[in-house]
Amino acid sequence: MAVKAMGWAHSFPVSEGVHAGREWTRRRLESLPWAAAEPDTVDAIVLAVSELITNAHIHAHSDAHLVLTWDGDCLHVSVHDEDPTLPRQREAEPGDVSGRGVAIVQKLADEWGMRCQRNGKTVTACFRPADAHAHADVDADTGNGRHDGSSN
């Protein structure tokens, strides 16, 4: 079975802040067939995007290059920045205003990982909607369907 993937990419400069990244992500997710039925998954993705863009801006002092990819099973969130130092999870004290981003992404995502590259690093998280296949716009009787969120 062939699966069509769809995706979006956008760069968020440090000067734009994370609000623009959250709003941009939420608008992209609205086009996915499962998003309206799974607001908790959408909120988790938007929160993870917020944390990853914040890390790129605050810790890497870098623009954040965000790529969202839906492959019919998983919504992949990848954020690239220009610092090759991998983020590390740390124990934030109750009064600390930062230090929880990695833990939040790890808790929300079904899978996550990071990799160094010559020009920085990329952190990727995978989110699997609970009932994405029921919303995949597949006609079970004919076997026809599209997995890219568009109508036939």
Side-chain angles (χ1 to χ4, degrees):
M1 174 174 102
V3 174
K4 295 181 181 181
M6 59 188 301
W8 307 270
H10 192 74
S11 292
F12 296 94
V14 174
S15 62
E16 243 182 79
V18 298
H19 177 74
R22 288 191 301 266
E23 294 304 312
W24 183 87
T25 298
R26 194 170 293 280
R27 285 193 308 273
R28 302 292 113 25
L29 295 177
E30 288 172 355
S31 70
L32 296 173
W34 51 264
E38 300 210 24
D40 291 344
T41 302
V42 170
D43 288 345
I45 293 166
V46 171
L47 178 56
V49 164
S50 181
E51 293 298 330
L52 294 174
I53 291 175
T54 297
N55 284 352
H57 289 175
I58 301 297
H59 300 294
H61 309 287
S62 168
D63 294 343
H65 309 286
L66 171 63
V67 176
L68 303 175
T69 309
W70 170 243
D71 65 9
D73 177 54
C74 178
L75 188 285
H76 302 272
V77 173
S78 296
V79 175
H80 178 82
D81 66 48
E82 297 162 13
D83 181 356
T85 306
L86 293 177
R88 60 181 175 82
Q89 187 170 351
R90 60 188 177 118
E91 295 297 321
E93 296 296 323
D96 290 349
V97 295
S98 68
R100 294 174 183 84
V102 172
I104 290 170
V105 173
Q106 185 176 25
K107 179 76 173 165
L108 294 174
D110 293 297
E111 299 172 23
W112 80 285
M114 51 191 152
R115 69 179 187 277
C116 288
Q117 298 161 296
R118 186 177 328 162
N119 60 346
K121 70 177 161 299
T122 300
V123 179
T124 302
C126 167
F127 296 84
R128 287 190 178 85
D131 204 13
H133 295 291
H135 301 285
D137 199 22
V138 174
D139 181 348
D141 294 331
T142 64
N144 294 328
R146 297 176 63 122
H147 295 272
D148 61 357
S150 61
S151 59
N152 291 331

